[in-house]
Every structure is written in structure tokens, then in C-alpha cells.
Amino acid sequence: MSSEPRPVVTDSGIPLDPIYDATSVADDLAGRLGRPGEPPFTRGPYQTMYRERLWSMRQYAGYGSADDTNARFRYLLDQGQTALSVAFDLPTQLGYDSDDELVLSEVGRVGVAIDSVEDMEAVFAGLPIDQLSVNFTINGTAPIILAFYLVAAERQGADLAQVAGTLQNDILKEFLARKTFIFPPDHSIRLVADVVEYCSEHLPRFNGISITGYHAREAGCDAVQEIGLTMASAIAYTEAFLARGLDFDAFAPRLSFHFSSQLDLFEEASKVRAARRMWSSLALERFGAKKETSARLRFFSGCSGATLTAQQPLNNVVRSTLQCLAAVLGGAQSIHVMGYDEALEIPTEESVRLALRTQQIIAHESGVAKVIDPLAGSYFVEHLTDEIEERAWELVRRVEDGGGLVELLAQGVPQRWVAESAYRYEQEVRSGERVKVGVNRYVDDDGVVPPLFEVDGASAARQRERLAGRLAERDGDAVAAALATLRTALVDGTNSMPHIMQAGRVGATLGEIADTMRAVFGVYREPQPW
Amino acid sequence: MSTGVRPRPRVVLAKPGLDGHDRGVKVVGMALRDAGAEVVYLGLQQTAAQIARAAAAEDADVIGLSVLSGVHVDVARQVLAACAGEDLGDVPLVVGGTIPPADVIRLRDLGVRDVFPVGTPLDDLVARIFAIAATEEEVPDEQ
């Protein structure tokens, strides 16, 4: 035994006292809490929260061809899932068609392959778009995917004013962490703004961007950095939208957020309470919101794939349960729970169903959804919420002093913060300071592996055949004309969305539209970390 | 060709394909560097040909690929072929990432020298890469 007791800290390194009492909590607790549905929104974005409506159970899904994904969606809806979340394959995320020679082995691999509007129609075949809420995990090609979805909705006869859902569309976090960017930052942000402007004019039920801390967290940063960097992103986007002449209260109510939910239960719940307070203060004090809904932070919570272990994979069921619980205690609007096998492969139908059942058991059996913000007034939670908020503001100030997030990303600075945190985490696992059950404590080497998902090798070939069929049928002159018009809009700076939709309508592919953008904007290569 | 065990093995790391998740490769790079290796990280979206050319130019002792998107077998096959084309067939290739157990065997059968699935202890990984770099030298160091 060591003679010096190690300090006890949260996952983010916040030191913890052994016990908290009334002296641990800020004086104006009532003011800092407010009421649910009212600024500063510490207790939740809505007055009634889960009493009136549970969070959306939104399992992330998609693989293979459009037909494969359609089948998985029908399965999930049959099992009681209440909203959809589409995963796209890497070629689709990066603007390549399924027949591009750069990408042959990646078609349909980590998500569905979308080459054309017809693929999007097939994904939603038999699923009424005007009655669904769909999340699209897409960024570099977000305007194209939204345009294809809207054309598919038109073809179903849907009213665009009824189209609901969320487009991830956060390109800054791609430069920061996830790295599926295509174009340089300034052009990328312009495309984000095209979408947000289009949504605020035509899609009143649709969130045109989901400002995301999730990926930086998964890439290694801690909870405080996650919140601080997300707020720095929110500032950068808001300033870009305002610079374009958009009215804050026209777009702010439809801004959505996306956080990770990891294992330090109280820190995770406190983190999102702090985030709601921070956005409320930014919106009302810095950006002069006139509507209260502009200051209301709503978020999707993804449980954490990075915390799951390949060793003893069934333990991940327990980890995911705690993460889902943390998201519920924090007041999430929408939650995804990971499959226990995701450290090994994309999840099987069985593990996806268990992940959904985890949400349902927490919702209907645990009792935690019966009251709003059940942790409020806990000396510990209120102290932690204040502490996280203060530390996250400090990071926001650091980013602003460095010239803002876009400038720092160009220098590779926040990318380094994230990589250094990831390395620190691994060193703590290595030293045993951070306990990972089954990895550095309670290890057994029985090598038991659950049955894993098998990718259908023929699915990519089917997708390419389907694309070849589309290319043969379409009117090439109409496609060329639509792409030329789009090119002009991209150069002129007029909103590109209607032109992308028109290109999709006449049969232009995702790769062709992305190539048109690449020709105008160029492509981005990131600065090297060392 | 090297003529003795380098005091600092040179490891070329890359992310082939379109996958952007670079947490793992960066952690591995930092751990190798801290252990005394020279690390050259080529970055994202590297083609097999680019990786082979860079490994030749850098006189790599080991090439490491990080793949989380499930295409590790295809990509390893392509990189091995490109290395053979560059006359680099003897530079050992290692692969890490989200790799199911059955694929560890498939990769080794292809000629991948070592495989580091998610969850490989970092010390273990560093030691194995150093050992591979050392055994690759033509003439052992004279003590």
C-alpha cells in the first residue's frame, strides 16, 4: 500500500471532497437552477420533460445497401424504437460514389451507401417521411444528403413543413476530431450556413445542425473540454450565421446539440446541466436573444463506444446501462445506446435489440423518468455543475484569446489537446490508476467472443449494379445543366440548397455533386500532429 | 539496407482508406515516441502506394496501419502488394484497430507480422513493435 493516499478526482480530474454539504453550494442556488423550461434551463429545456414525453430512442443504424438499411429500420420500429438515426458509409460521408475506385472495399461497410435520390427513396420505402423524425449522421456531404432526403419526401407527397429530424452538419468537429471533412474550413462553414438558412426558411420542424462535443470526447478529451469546445463551436457557428445576415432568433431555436455520455455518472449528469446554463447565458447575454426558445439547449446523447472493451464484451451491457442512465438524469431529448459488441464489429440485430431494451427498461422500470431533474439540490451535483461550468468557461476564454475556434483548428491546437488527453487516459489505464474491469483488473483470458455481425460481401456489388442502372437511365444533358447551375451558385455565394435538390431530382449522383463542390472549393489536408 | 540495430527504430504509421478515427494511431505514435522510437505519421486517407513509397523514402523498420472501419484485410493485402512492388517486401507490416479475432488469423496468414486489436495493452504493443524492428535488421548490433 502507498503511504500517500491518491487524490480522488472525477473522470475530468476535478478533485472531490469526501462529503458535500450546504456550504458546498453557491449562494443563489434557486436563481442558478430556475425552473425547467425557463432560463437558465439548468433543470431541463422543457417544463414537463419526461412526464409528458420520454426521450426519443434513436438507435444509430445503417449498413450495406439502401434495401438492407430499410429492413433494419423496419425491424427497429417494430421493436418499439421511436425515431430513426441513419449511419452512412465512408464513401457517402466523403462524397464518393460506390463505383469510385478509391473506395471499393468500403461501400456499405460502416453505414448505408447513398449514391442517388433513388437510394434515399429505397431507405425510406414504406416509411412515411412526414411522420418520422430522422437523424442523419453526416457532415461533409450534409447538404447533399438533406437535399436527397427532401426530394425523396417530395416524391412520397410529403409537405416539407412536416419534415422533422436533425442533420448533424457540424464540420468544425470534423476538423477537431472525427476527420471526415472534405473542403477547407471557410467553404465548409458556408455550406453549413446554406443548410441552416434553408432550414430556417422552409423546414420549421427540422434541426439543420447538431453542434457536437461527442466526437472530441470519443477521441479522448474529458467532460470539461467536451462542454467548453462545444460552446466554442456554438459561438463560431453563431458568428458565421450572423455575419451572413441571419437573424439569431430565426435559427437559434432550431440549433441542436450532441454530447457523449460516459461512465462517471454524476459528472456526466452535471456536465449537461452546466452546458444548458452556458448556452442560455450566451444566447441571452452575448447574442441578445429575444425569444426564450433561442436560449434553450436541447441535446442528443450518444453512449460511448470508446469506453467499451473488447475484453469480456458482455460487461459493456452494464457500461451502456450506466451511460444511458447518466443521459436520462441529465435530461437528454434523444439517446443512442451502444451494442455490447461494438468494440469488435458493427452490432448484430440481437445486440441492437438489447441496447434498445436497455433504454426501455430505464424508461419504464427504473423510475428515474418519473420526476424532472431528480438530482437537483444535491449538494454534490450542484457543486459539480458549478465547477464544470467554471472550468468550461475558462476553456472558452482560452479559445477566444487564441483567436477563436476556427483559427485554432487551422493551427492544430485543439486537435493536440484532444490527442494529449487520449494519451493521458491510456497511461492511466496502463498504470492501473484508472480501473477498467476486464482490462487491467479482474482479467480473465477465456477468449469468449460473442457471435459477430457478418457483412454481406455481395451487398457492395448490388449497390454498384444499381448505380450503373441509374446512370444508364437518366438524361445526361439535364444532369450536366443542373450541375452547371449548381457550380454558378457555389461561385456566386447564393444558397446552394435548391440547386443541389434540382441536381438530385434529375439524377445527379452524390459523387458528381461533391466533385462539383471540390472543383470550386478545393480539398483540405490537415496539419500533421508531429 | 540497414547495417546494424538502430538505437531508435523508425516506425511509419498511417491510416489507409477513408476512416478518420485517429485516436488510436496518435496514442500509439506518442507511446512509441516516448519509448524512444522515431515515428513518422503519414496521416489520413493514405493509399497503399503512398504508404509503400513513404516507407521506402523513410527507410522504415516497421510499417503500422490503423484501421477502424472493418476494411483491414483488404487494405493489408493492398499495402503488402504495394510494398512488394516497391521492393520493400521485407519491411514488416503491423495492423491495429477494430479487428475481430477471426481476422487476426486472416491477417497473419496474409503476411502481416503482428496484429493489435482494440484492447491490446499499450506496453505490450510497444514491446512487440520494438522486437519486430530489432529482428528485422540484417546485421545484429555488436555488444
Side-chain angles (χ1 to χ4, degrees):
Chain A
M1 297 296 274
S2 67
S3 51
E4 284 279 308
R6 269 207 313 271
V8 176
V9 297
T10 67
D11 260 3
S12 297
I14 298 174
L16 295 179
D17 295 339
I19 189 166
Y20 288 86
D21 60 24
T23 64
S24 321
V25 177
D27 286 342
D28 178 27
L29 180 60
R32 293 176 70 70
L33 278 173
R35 294 184 58 78
E38 292 172 17
F41 297 102
T42 314
R43 306 204 63 184
Y46 298 113
Q47 274 176 13
T48 53
M49 292 296 289
Y50 305 141
R51 284 215 141 192
E52 190 172 297
R53 203 177 70 177
L54 287 169
W55 61 93
S56 302
M57 300 184 189
R58 200 186 282 279
Q59 294 297 123
Y60 183 48
Y63 63 90
S65 68
D67 300 328
D68 299 326
T69 296
N70 181 264
R72 176 67 69 102
F73 282 176
R74 284 164 181 267
Y75 174 79
L76 285 166
L77 291 168
D78 281 349
Q79 295 298 316
Q81 178 162 307
T82 54
L84 296 175
S85 177
V86 193
F88 296 96
D89 71 359
L90 286 164
T92 304
Q93 293 181 42
L94 286 160
Y96 298 110
D97 288 333
S98 296
D99 61 357
D100 195 301
E101 61 180 12
L102 275 176
V103 299
L104 291 182
S105 58
E106 284 160 321
V107 173
R109 180 77 219 195
V110 297
V112 60
I114 297 290
D115 295 318
S116 65
V117 168
E118 286 72 22
D119 290 336
M120 192 65 88
E121 283 185 277
V123 167
F124 292 97
L127 305 171
I129 288 177
D130 54 5
Q131 292 166 42
L132 290 173
S133 167
V134 183
N135 178 73
F136 298 90
T137 303
I138 195 80
N139 299 280
T141 53
I144 310 176
I145 288 297
L146 176 61
F148 284 8
Y149 184 63
L150 295 177
V151 175
E154 283 171 1
R155 291 185 184 171
Q156 281 193 3
D159 173 4
L160 294 193
Q162 291 307 311
V163 172
T166 303
L167 193 69
Q168 196 168 74
N169 198 25
D170 175 353
I171 206 67
L172 291 175
K173 71 105 186 1
E174 296 294 337
F175 295 110
L176 176 63
R178 187 160 169 264
K179 310 293 168 72
T180 42
F181 44 74
I182 307 173
F183 318 111
D186 47 345
H187 297 297
S188 298
I189 292 172
R190 174 260 165 106
L191 288 176
V192 172
D194 279 3
V195 167
V196 168
E197 182 178 57
Y198 185 87
C199 290
S200 59
E201 287 169 5
H202 301 282
L203 306 176
R205 297 185 60 210
F206 198 84
N207 305 312
I209 185 171
S210 177
I211 303 169
T212 295
Y214 179 87
H215 300 88
R217 185 72 185 283
E218 289 292 284
C221 81
D222 64 32
V224 169
Q225 290 174 313
E226 178 188 0
I227 296 305
L229 289 168
T230 305
M231 290 303 139
S233 299
I235 292 169
Y237 284 121
T238 299
E239 286 178 345
F241 302 156
L242 293 175
R244 189 185 170 108
L246 303 188
D247 171 40
F248 184 73
D249 288 291
F251 65 82
R254 296 311 306 182
L255 296 178
S256 169
F257 290 77
H258 177 188
F259 298 117
S260 171
S261 191
Q262 298 202 353
L263 281 158
D264 190 335
L265 192 68
F266 293 108
E267 181 167 73
E268 292 302 295
S270 302
K271 166 190 90 178
V272 290
R273 298 171 88 246
R276 277 195 293 266
R277 208 146 72 193
M278 291 176 80
W279 174 247
S280 175
S281 139
L282 283 171
L284 293 167
E285 287 154 34
R286 177 158 172 171
F287 297 119
K290 291 179 201 69
K291 289 200 241 172
E292 273 194 4
T293 51
S294 298
R296 179 179 76 180
L297 182 154
R298 300 160 302 129
F299 74 101
F300 165 62
S301 194
C303 295
S304 168
T307 64
L308 304 187
T309 64
Q311 295 93 330
Q312 304 179 19
L314 286 176
N315 295 348
N316 296 327
V317 175
V318 183
R319 293 191 177 97
S320 295
T321 305
L322 287 167
Q323 293 171 6
C324 181
L325 182 61
V328 172
L329 290 171
Q333 278 54 68
S334 169
I335 299 176
H336 164 85
V337 171
M338 292 284 164
Y340 62 83
D341 48 358
E342 291 194 50
L344 295 159
E345 244 302 357
I346 68 171
T348 60
E349 202 165 271
E350 289 71 29
S351 73
V352 165
R353 185 177 53 207
L354 180 56
L356 177 59
R357 294 285 180 259
T358 304
Q359 298 213 36
Q360 291 161 339
I361 291 167
I362 288 172
H364 301 292
E365 297 186 30
S366 76
V368 290
K370 286 180 178 169
V371 302
I372 298 163
D373 194 21
L375 300 182
S378 150
Y379 300 133
F380 173 46
V381 167
E382 298 304 347
H383 172 82
L384 205 48
T385 303
D386 290 349
E387 186 70 27
I388 291 169
E389 182 180 357
E390 196 180 310
R391 287 169 181 240
W393 280 127
E394 218 173 278
L395 183 63
V396 171
R397 276 192 292 275
R398 228 171 119 191
V399 171
E400 303 238 284
D401 291 347
L405 189 61
V406 179
E407 170 60 30
L408 283 188
L409 285 170
Q411 297 169 21
V413 174
Q415 294 93 318
R416 237 176 356 256
W417 294 342
V418 172
E420 281 161 8
S421 289
Y423 189 40
R424 203 158 47 236
Y425 178 97
E426 292 306 328
Q427 285 173 315
E428 288 166 11
V429 172
R430 176 157 61 165
S431 69
E433 190 182 328
R434 184 183 285 271
V435 175
K436 291 291 285 182
V437 171
V439 173
N440 63 6
R441 193 85 70 87
Y442 317 109
V443 177
D444 55 45
D445 201 14
D446 63 3
V448 174
V449 179
L452 297 179
F453 183 82
E454 295 275 346
V455 174
D456 173 5
S459 152
R462 281 201 303 275
Q463 179 62 21
R464 285 194 290 273
E465 252 172 58
R466 181 195 188 94
L467 172 60
R470 299 290 169 212
L471 295 177
E473 284 165 12
R474 66 185 190 172
D475 174 351
D477 293 342
V479 171
L483 291 175
T485 308
L486 169 61
R487 188 190 159 89
T488 306
L490 293 173
V491 172
D492 289 352
T494 43
N495 195 313
S496 58
M497 275 302 295
H499 306 292
I500 301 171
M501 286 172 70
Q502 180 55 22
R505 268 186 213 108
V506 298
T509 65
L510 175 125
E512 288 169 334
I513 295 170
D515 281 343
T516 306
M517 293 173 170
R518 273 187 271 260
V520 175
F521 297 152
V523 292
Y524 183 72
R525 297 273 168 239
E526 71 166 353
Q528 290 307 298
W530 63 76
Chain B
M1 277 294 153
S2 315
T3 54
V5 172
R6 281 193 183 125
R8 307 183 66 198
R10 183 171 292 183
V11 183
V12 167
L13 297 176
K15 280 195 63 72
L18 302 180
D19 169 38
H21 295 96
D22 58 2
R23 175 181 182 154
V25 73
K26 285 181 174 168
V27 165
V28 165
M30 286 190 260
L32 287 167
R33 200 186 46 187
D34 283 1
E38 285 182 54
V39 178
V40 181
Y41 173 49
L42 304 179
L44 302 172
Q45 294 181 29
Q46 295 292 303
T47 64
Q50 286 170 329
I51 293 166
R53 272 200 302 276
E58 298 288 347
D59 190 17
D61 294 315
V62 180
I63 304 170
L65 307 180
S66 174
V67 186
L68 281 84
S69 61
V71 298
H72 39 268
V73 174
D74 283 349
V75 152
R77 191 181 290 123
Q78 285 173 8
V79 172
L80 286 167
C83 285
E86 286 278 331
D87 218 10
L88 273 169
D90 60 341
V91 177
L93 178 69
V94 301
V95 180
T98 312
I99 298 168
D103 285 352
V104 174
I105 298 161
R106 292 173 69 194
L107 287 169
R108 285 181 171 279
D109 288 347
L110 279 179
V112 171
R113 182 67 68 86
D114 208 345
V115 183
F116 308 108
V118 169
T120 306
L122 209 47
D123 287 333
D124 192 21
L125 176 145
V126 169
R128 278 151 68 184
I129 289 182
F130 269 69
I132 290 168
T135 55
E136 232 11 67
E137 303 301 326
E138 302 258 298
V139 182
D141 194 19
E142 290 167 26
Q143 297 292 329

